[in-house]
């Protein structure tokens, strides 16, 4: 549509690209965070079964329960009250302070679900805009996608470098930003949660998330470049 300036199409393309990248980040986070494959892998690497003195089946049952809780399928305040066997003795797995922390985690994922929904709707609106007004302006759409992917990748690379310089400080800053209390500071001697998801667990988790995200950005950029070339021919 010739009456709509070219920069508008580029801007809508960038917005659509940022929405797509937001969804990419969402899936990069939930794939390992909600995947039993990741926990099982880390439990074996970190010898977690022996550390917490639990059988494979019991720990996996607790983990599946915790994942369902983070997904929002269980009650926010009481959903983590699960009895298991530790060292041959029945007990509640999560302590009061662990439950308080996991309530904050529950809320954080709930916000993530909202962001996912908003990004999905916005992406559909951007797609509809080009479908209605810009079928002959798809070049601008792919330019916008490339700009968005490059900008986010540069930000990701800078952030990853800063985190690599001082992982512990980055870990603390993350929790200070997203949690307004100190319930996340657990005691390895008494709290089981910190033993099943220790420091090394989160290092690997952040690496996997970053790897998935970077690979997705590369795919978005490459696909956009290829499609831009095709519509320009």
């Amino acid at each position: 549509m010739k009456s709509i300036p070219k920069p508008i199409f580029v801007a809508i393309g960038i917005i659509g690209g940022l929405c797509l990248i937001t969804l990419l980040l969402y899936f990069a986070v939930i794939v390992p965070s909600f995947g039993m494959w990741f926990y099982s892998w880390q439990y074996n690497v970190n010898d977690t079964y022996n550390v917490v003195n639990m059988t494979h089946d019991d720990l996996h049952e607790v983990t599946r329960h915790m994942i369902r809780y983070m997904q929002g399928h269980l009650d926010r305040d009481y959903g983590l009250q699960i009895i298991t066997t530790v060292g041959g003795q029945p007990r509640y797995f999560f302590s009061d302070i662990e439950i308080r922390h996991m309530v904050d985690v529950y809320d954080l994922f709930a916000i993530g679900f909202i962001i996912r929904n908003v990004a999905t709707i916005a992406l559909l609106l951007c797609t509809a805009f080009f479908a209605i007004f810009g079928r002959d302006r798809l070049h601008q759409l792919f330019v916008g996608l490339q700009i968005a992917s490059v900008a986010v990748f540069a930000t990701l690379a800078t952030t990853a470098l800063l985190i690599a310089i001082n992982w512990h400080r980055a870990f603390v800053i993350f929790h200070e930003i997203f949690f307004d209390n100190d319930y996340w500071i657990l005691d390895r001697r008494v709290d089981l949660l910190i033993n099943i998801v220790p420091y090394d667990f989160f290092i690997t988790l952040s690496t996997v998330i970053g790897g998935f995200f970077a690979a997705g950005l590369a795919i978005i950029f490459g696909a956009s470049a290829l499609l831009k070339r095709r519509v320009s021919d």
Side-chain angles (χ1 to χ4, degrees), residues 8-192:
I8 297 297
F9 285 98
V10 175
I12 297 297
I14 293 175
I15 293 173
L18 291 175
C19 292
L20 179 60
I21 290 169
T22 298
L23 293 174
L24 170 64
L25 177 59
Y26 167 81
F27 285 108
V29 170
I30 68 167
V31 166
S33 298
F34 293 166
M36 272 303 302
W37 64 271
F38 182 79
Y39 291 89
S40 181
W41 169 36
Q42 287 302 292
Y43 291 164
N44 285 309
V45 169
N46 298 321
D47 194 29
T48 306
Y49 306 104
N50 289 325
V51 170
V52 296
N53 199 12
M54 294 179 64
T55 68
H56 176 282
D57 291 343
D58 285 337
L59 183 53
H60 279 229
E61 180 185 3
V62 169
T63 305
R64 283 189 289 268
H65 188 88
M66 182 175 67
I67 291 173
R68 292 188 66 239
Y69 175 80
M70 293 188 295
Q71 291 173 328
H73 298 317
L74 302 175
D75 182 81
R76 173 183 179 272
D77 298 310
Y78 303 104
L80 276 183
Q81 293 182 345
I82 178 174
I83 296 177
T84 187
T85 302
V86 179
Q89 300 296 320
R91 55 157 285 182
Y92 283 104
F93 184 88
F94 296 97
S95 66
D96 289 342
I97 190 172
E98 289 171 320
I99 290 177
R100 290 175 184 174
H101 173 56
M102 289 303 296
V103 166
D104 292 333
V105 174
Y106 180 102
D107 291 340
L108 199 59
F109 275 111
I111 293 172
F113 299 148
I114 294 173
I115 293 174
R116 173 203 61 191
N117 295 339
V118 171
T120 300
I121 293 172
L123 179 60
L124 292 174
L125 291 175
C126 291
T127 303
F129 176 84
F130 272 91
I132 296 172
F133 301 112
R135 292 184 179 180
D136 58 341
R137 297 292 185 92
L138 290 177
H139 181 273
Q140 278 74 49
L141 170 62
F142 300 129
V143 168
L145 287 173
Q146 285 185 289
I147 292 174
S149 59
V150 169
V152 173
F153 184 83
T155 303
L156 175 65
T158 302
T159 303
L161 177 61
L162 293 174
I163 292 175
I165 292 173
N166 192 336
W167 161 261
H168 177 74
R169 181 57 184 159
F171 185 78
V172 172
I173 290 175
F174 171 86
H175 284 80
E176 289 177 343
I177 290 174
F178 290 102
F179 302 102
D180 60 359
N181 54 59
D182 61 358
Y183 295 145
W184 59 275
I185 303 177
L186 302 174
D187 187 342
R188 182 183 296 274
R189 295 168 298 180
V190 296
D191 298 313
L192 292 177

Side-chain angles (χ1 to χ4, degrees), residues 198-229:
Y199 203 65
D200 289 344
F201 175 95
F202 286 106
I203 293 177
T204 305
L205 177 63
S206 62
T207 301
V208 170
I209 291 172
F212 282 167
F213 191 45
L217 289 173
I219 292 173
I220 291 174
F221 180 86
S224 299
L226 178 62
L227 293 171
K228 184 181 71 173
R229 182 179 303 175

